[in-house]
Structures are given as structure tokens and as C-alpha cells.
Amino acid sequence: MRIILVAGDYHADYACALLTLELESLGANCLLVRSPPAPGQRTPYEAVEGISSLQLTPEQLLCQSMLLEADALGVFLSGASLESFVTSYRQICAQHNLKPAVVFSGPVFPLSGDAMVADLLPRLSCDLLCLHGERQLAEYADLTRYWPLPAPAALALGFWFMPESPPDGGLLGHQETQQAHTLVVLAQAGLPSPIGSQVQMLRLLAGLAEAAPHWRVLIQRDHTSESGKPWLSVKQGKPKKIPANLTFGAVENLPLILGRCSACLTLSSPWILTAMAWGRSCVVMGDHGIRTDHGSAMFFGSGVMGRLNGIGHLDS
């Protein structure tokens, strides 16, 4: 079986590389088509060896005859780019009197609520949707229950995108280093959304850092942030006093930082699941309640939710 996987960014690139390994272990013949990286772009992921790949834009791929020889297409683009690619591919097949291959797609990161709905709507042009778990399948069933057109089939692949392990030597246990303990705060673009809430969150973290100088508090932007763009805009201002042990991390260092931290805190970043899998102590902040626009509904009832303003001291 010939499968072509199309990746639109470096997150999808890494995810498709892992998926390629799994599919080939089942006997499929896979080719990963990577979009050229933006100038100066750095990836936080280690290279995946032993797979066949090409570097082409989606537009360039549409001009290649090999596209018509595929038995299935995994298209991991986003938004209008995905819809345009799938429509153009099917038109090309019609021009050659060929039956289009099955097209499958899905979000790379596990989503729920409003974020999942926004991600899935452009993907409804596909034949099959790859979701992550039973919660996502249930939300998808609710979304399409009264859909006027036949909805694509959906299946749960599990948490199929996650670095299996940190970079070599990157996973440090709590007692294996003389360095200060590190709390990693996974910061997401635009969250929390209420006016002034990001500044308040920073004030609380600054207070925790100041009270525990033997800790390092690292605000680490996740995949939702643009590299080089600050998490907190200048308009919102900053607390007057930022202790020296509170710092900001670059997006490119995310997996390495997670492997070296002592504890991890977030509002709803799916990277908290990676931290859990790697044995880090984790808390999902419930200070703003369970909100679908924050993505926190996915963690309701998980037992890991707590309040940032309820943490008395980082040692606790």
C-alpha cells in the first residue's frame, strides 16, 4: 500500500515522521512530503531517521505524477490550505479519469471544545479524520449529529504525536542534579483571555519565585506561540518587580526543557501530557474555571486540576 503524508509545518513534519514509522512497521510503503521551512526557522524536535521524504510545497506536489499513484493521502495542512489541496487533488483525478485515493487528516495536538471544532471544520472535506481519544470522538459525534451532509468517518489513534523521549541525556530525575528545582509554566498564545489575567498570572508566578529563591520559574511558550514574539504584549504591562529566578524560554527548547524540569504547570497546553508521560509533577490551572475557549474542558475530572493562587509555596 502506497501512502503519501503531507506535512504543512514542523509540528506536522515530526508527527508524520512518527506516523510513517508506525505505518511502515505494518507493511505500508510511505513517503513524507515536507514543506520547506521558513528562513531561520528552528525545530525543537530531533530528526527521525530511516524514512523516505521529499521537500516540496503542497502546490508543487500537486504537479507530481506520483500523487496519482498513491492508495491513500494523509494531508496534515491547516485551514484553507487543506481544503484547497484536497479540492485540487480531486479535480486532477477527475481530469485523468481516476478514482481519488482516501484522504485522511486530523489535528496533530489533542484538542477539545471550541478549539477542536475550529480545527475540524476545514477537515470535513476529507474521507477519514484521525482524532486522539474517546472524548474527541464523542465531541465529534455531537458536532456532526445534525450535519446536513455525510460526515467523514473518525477513529481514535491515541496520543500519536509525542516525542517518545527527550533528547539523549535530557531527562533528569529529581535527585540526579545539583541544579535548582525548575517549575516550567507552559504559556499559550492569548491565554488566559480575560483582560488583565495574563499580568495577574505573571504577578502570582513572580510571588512564588520570590518566595522560593532555590527554585527557577521558567515561563515556556508552547507551540501556539510564534518564535520571537513575546507571550505578554507591551500594552498589558508587567509587574513592577520580576525576581531574577523567573525567566522566559524559547519555543525551540520545549522538549529539552520539559525533560529537565521538576514540575510543570499550564492552563491547557497539550504538552502537559508529555510532561506527565515523562514523570514530571503536573498541575492544570483551574483559576478561570472550565472553559471551552481555554481548552481546559479536556482536563475536567482528570484529577490534575488546581489553582495557581492556591499554591502556598513551590516546595509544596
Side-chain angles (χ1 to χ4, degrees), residues 82-113:
L82 184 145
E83 290 184 290
S84 174
F85 181 89
V86 172
T87 299
S88 298
Y89 164 68
R90 288 172 175 161
Q91 290 174 345
I92 292 170
C93 289
Q95 292 170 0
H96 289 79
N97 294 318
L98 295 174
K99 181 181 179 181
V102 170
V103 177
F104 62 94
S105 185
V108 170
F109 293 94
L111 302 172
S112 66

Side-chain angles (χ1 to χ4, degrees), residues 57-138:
T57 66
E59 294 76 16
Q60 291 171 331
L61 178 59
L62 287 169
C63 300
Q64 305 297 316
S65 60
M66 64 180 174
L67 192 64
L68 301 177
E69 300 170 3
D71 299 304
L73 292 178
V75 185
F76 294 91
L77 305 174
S78 58
S81 298
L82 184 145
E83 290 184 290
S84 174
F85 181 89
V86 172
T87 299
S88 298
Y89 164 68
R90 288 172 175 161
Q91 290 174 345
I92 292 170
C93 289
Q95 292 170 0
H96 289 79
N97 294 318
L98 295 174
K99 181 181 179 181
V102 170
V103 177
F104 62 94
S105 185
V108 170
F109 293 94
L111 302 172
S112 66
D114 294 352
M116 192 183 87
V117 171
D119 183 274
L120 289 185
L121 287 176
R123 302 186 196 275
L124 293 178
S125 58
C126 299
D127 302 300
L128 175 67
L129 295 180
C130 302
L131 305 179
H132 290 84
E134 296 302 320
R135 177 186 290 272
Q136 285 77 15
L137 289 176

Side-chain angles (χ1 to χ4, degrees), residues 27-267:
N29 179 12
C30 297
L31 174 67
L32 171 55
V33 179
R34 298 178 155 116
S35 295
Q41 185 181 72
R42 296 170 56 197
T43 173
Y45 311 115
E46 289 188 303
V48 177
E49 305 293 340
I51 61 174
S52 300
S53 65
L54 289 174
Q55 193 172 94
L56 296 170
T57 66
E59 294 76 16
Q60 291 171 331
L61 178 59
L62 287 169
C63 300
Q64 305 297 316
S65 60
M66 64 180 174
L67 192 64
L68 301 177
E69 300 170 3
D71 299 304
L73 292 178
V75 185
F76 294 91
L77 305 174
S78 58
S81 298
L82 184 145
E83 290 184 290
S84 174
F85 181 89
V86 172
T87 299
S88 298
Y89 164 68
R90 288 172 175 161
Q91 290 174 345
I92 292 170
C93 289
Q95 292 170 0
H96 289 79
N97 294 318
L98 295 174
K99 181 181 179 181
V102 170
V103 177
F104 62 94
S105 185
V108 170
F109 293 94
L111 302 172
S112 66
D114 294 352
M116 192 183 87
V117 171
D119 183 274
L120 289 185
L121 287 176
R123 302 186 196 275
L124 293 178
S125 58
C126 299
D127 302 300
L128 175 67
L129 295 180
C130 302
L131 305 179
H132 290 84
E134 296 302 320
R135 177 186 290 272
Q136 285 77 15
L137 289 176
E139 290 190 21
Y140 176 67
D142 289 338
L143 171 66
T144 57
R145 191 178 310 277
Y146 301 108
W147 201 256
L149 300 173
L155 56 82
L157 291 186
F159 193 21
W160 62 277
F161 165 71
M162 183 182 75
E164 292 293 330
S165 62
D168 290 343
L171 187 60
L172 298 180
H174 297 294
Q175 305 302 323
E176 297 175 10
T177 176
Q178 298 301 315
Q179 298 176 359
H181 289 307
T182 300
L183 169 66
V184 168
V185 181
L186 292 169
Q188 299 156 266
L191 295 180
S193 58
I195 296 174
S197 57
Q198 283 182 300
V199 176
Q200 176 61 15
M201 178 177 164
L202 188 55
R203 286 196 188 99
L204 291 172
L205 291 171
L208 289 172
E210 187 174 17
H214 56 293
W215 277 76
R216 179 189 179 203
V217 177
L218 178 64
I219 297 179
Q220 173 67 52
R221 291 173 297 134
D222 76 350
H223 65 283
T224 59
S225 303
E226 296 179 24
S227 183
K229 188 175 181 180
W231 168 63
L232 196 65
S233 68
V234 177
K235 295 180 181 179
Q236 297 186 67
K238 291 184 179 180
K240 294 181 180 180
K241 186 177 180 181
I242 299 291
N245 59 333
L246 191 155
T247 56
F248 291 81
V251 178
E252 295 83 2
N253 297 331
L254 183 52
L256 180 64
I257 292 297
L258 286 179
R260 292 176 177 268
C261 75
S262 309
C264 193
L265 187 74
T266 191
L267 191 68

